[in-house]
Amino acid sequence: MQYRLYPKDAQIQALKVQLGEACRLYNAALQERRGAYKHAGLSLTYYDQATQLKAIRAAGDLALANFSASQDVLRRVDKTFKAFFRRVKAGAAQPGYPRFKSRKRFDSYTFPSWGDGCRLTDAGRLYLQGVGHLKVKWHRPLEGQIKTVTVKRQAGQWFVGFSIEYEGEALPGTDAQVGIDVGLTDFATLSTGETIPNPRYYRKAQARLRIAQRRVARRTRGGANRRKAVVLLQKAHAHVQNQRADFHHKTSRTLVETYGVIAVEDLNVKGLASGMLAKSVNDAGWSAFINKLDYKAAEAGRQLVCVNPRGTSQTCLCGAEVHKTLAQRWHECPACGLSAARDHVSAQRILGLGLSLLDLT
Ligand SMILES: [Zn+2]
């Protein structure tokens, strides 16, 4: 759950200091690990580094206000190294040694435990240690048990992200079942025949992104105007992302409230048929959507089942293969005579596959 922050000037300065210090700590920890490895062949652990934190802070050499947030920076370094060693072990040709981060690109830090240096005030503000009481735009109610708080800088704006533990408030049971087919023109088609159109902002946003992109391309490299154009482009991207996330939240919520069993295609399957490749247009959006659907379903005690997408659009409900090109939007089965919209048939087929999978388990 991400919300926009409206810091005052002094708070922006404080946020920048916190981020800058988190970045400095990150790079220092990285440096120490590199040195130990290069000169002594030693691999430092998170604990080796965390034990030094107290002394560093006592010496006044770290202005990152919250102790746990400092530990979190070290944990991030640790993760980066662990991932690096995994790549080395897996025999990656270019494992990519962990790199220093520039202040410009270091744009988030995390309070790892709620209540420790961060809390909500009665007035609905977010208190962050070292920064103060921040104004938040609560565009959606914050539900569930907050676990961590991450402060982010994105395109010159500030955001706060809450990771939430859902208490799993089960919804009343329902026998309703649905299969969902990812659409090319529509967002999705349901086995009920209902379609979920792409939201109206979608085309507008695409057009706006293209314009912003072109503006960047026309400005000279390294110039101040280009920098400004880049910020505008980043803002446009952030705006689209937020809108999309919002749409995904609302859509997945409605589905989970309505259906007890939800069957979808698993588009992460390798080697998709050519017809499926076209669907990857929606791919990035689709997996983000499935993630939201997944945790909401789990929270509500619903069943989400992922089926192999192979052949879902080429097989009739009677089992006969009915080949169609992408352009053919209508399904006509010579075997059983079924005549229906292609995506509607696919969605029903997905539901059928999903139910047979559930029967097996
Ligand atoms: Zn048929």
Side-chain angles (χ1 to χ4, degrees):
M1 291 280 207
Q2 185 166 303
Y3 300 90
R4 173 101 188 259
L5 291 173
Y6 293 95
K8 294 180 196 140
D9 287 348
Q11 291 174 331
I12 291 176
Q13 287 316 312
L15 282 167
K16 283 184 178 167
V17 168
Q18 297 298 303
L19 261 190
E21 286 295 287
C23 178
R24 201 164 64 84
L25 177 61
Y26 183 94
N27 287 334
L30 194 66
Q31 172 77 54
E32 195 192 25
R33 285 192 179 227
R34 288 182 136 189
Y37 191 70
K38 255 190 198 155
H39 303 304
L42 283 175
S43 292
L44 296 182
T45 66
Y46 163 75
Y47 297 99
D48 293 331
Q49 299 200 301
T51 47
Q52 304 171 49
L53 261 184
K54 260 193 181 148
I56 295 172
R57 285 163 56 92
D61 192 28
L62 185 66
L64 185 55
N66 184 256
F67 188 70
S68 303
S70 312
Q71 288 177 319
D72 188 79
V73 171
L74 297 181
R75 246 178 248 119
R76 244 196 238 186
V77 175
D78 193 49
K79 260 191 207 158
T80 316
F81 269 84
K82 283 195 173 135
F84 165 67
F85 287 126
R86 261 201 306 278
R87 291 194 295 271
V88 171
K89 219 175 164 187
Q94 286 177 318
Y97 197 85
R99 285 155 68 169
F100 295 109
K101 292 200 174 175
S102 83
R103 266 165 197 261
K104 259 191 195 164
R105 298 191 63 181
F106 196 94
D107 42 24
S108 75
Y109 75 107
T110 296
F111 292 82
S113 57
W114 177 240
D116 175 358
C118 52
R119 60 186 155 79
L120 294 178
T121 70
D122 294 338
R125 300 204 169 214
L126 174 70
Y127 168 78
L128 295 180
Q129 189 180 354
V131 181
H133 297 78
L134 291 149
K135 194 176 156 192
V136 185
K137 185 180 178 190
W138 301 108
H139 65 283
R140 193 185 311 128
L142 182 59
E143 289 159 355
Q145 185 61 43
I146 302 170
K147 300 274 288 176
T148 71
V149 175
T150 299
V151 183
K152 290 179 200 166
R153 177 175 52 196
Q154 197 178 47
Q157 297 175 337
W158 295 88
F159 296 88
V160 57
F162 297 94
S163 77
I164 305 284
E165 187 176 358
Y166 288 91
E167 299 271 294
E169 206 173 297
L171 291 170
T174 167
D175 292 334
Q177 303 161 335
V178 73
I180 310 177
D181 181 55
V182 202
L184 281 171
T185 44
D186 287 316
F187 178 71
T189 300
L190 308 186
S191 53
T192 57
E194 195 186 333
T195 56
I196 304 175
N198 273 313
R200 243 174 292 144
Y201 67 74
Y202 194 76
R203 269 164 183 279
K204 266 193 211 161
Q206 298 297 324
R208 232 178 291 136
L209 276 184
R210 267 197 301 277
I211 292 169
Q213 203 106 48
R214 239 178 280 144
R215 200 185 297 126
V216 171
R218 276 203 302 264
R219 305 285 190 256
T220 18
R221 259 172 202 286
N225 284 330
R226 185 173 172 113
R227 257 200 315 279
K228 277 184 217 158
V230 167
V231 169
L232 286 178
L233 176 62
Q234 287 172 337
K235 267 189 197 167
H237 269 295
H239 188 62
V240 173
Q241 272 170 19
N242 291 341
Q243 279 184 318
R244 184 190 288 150
D246 223 51
F247 170 66
H248 287 171
H249 273 298
K250 280 178 192 147
T251 310
S252 53
R253 171 155 306 181
T254 311
L255 287 167
V256 161
E257 277 168 2
T258 319
Y259 300 101
V261 174
I262 302 170
V264 293
E265 289 168 300
D266 181 1
L267 292 189
N268 292 321
V269 172
K270 277 189 187 138
L272 293 176
S274 60
M276 295 302 304
L277 274 183
K279 289 194 175 182
S280 62
V281 178
N282 254 339
D283 190 28
W286 184 250
S287 45
F289 172 70
I290 296 297
N291 281 340
K292 295 190 180 71
L293 194 58
D294 192 17
Y295 79 71
K296 285 196 170 77
E299 173 197 344
R302 307 301 208 206
Q303 274 184 301
L304 178 73
V305 49
C306 293
V307 308
N308 189 335
R310 198 175 292 272
T312 46
S313 62
Q314 306 293 334
T315 315
C316 181
L317 301 180
C318 72
E321 294 215 354
V322 181
H323 289 286
K324 299 176 283 275
T325 65
L326 266 181
Q328 284 172 282
R329 308 310 302 163
W330 200 260
H331 170 99
E332 291 274 2
C333 178
C336 72
L338 174 66
S339 169
R342 171 207 181 101
D343 293 346
H344 184 192
V345 175
S346 298
Q348 286 173 277
R349 176 93 189 132
I350 289 163
L351 175 59
L353 288 172
L355 291 177
S356 62
L357 276 180
L358 285 180
D359 274 348
L360 290 177
T361 53

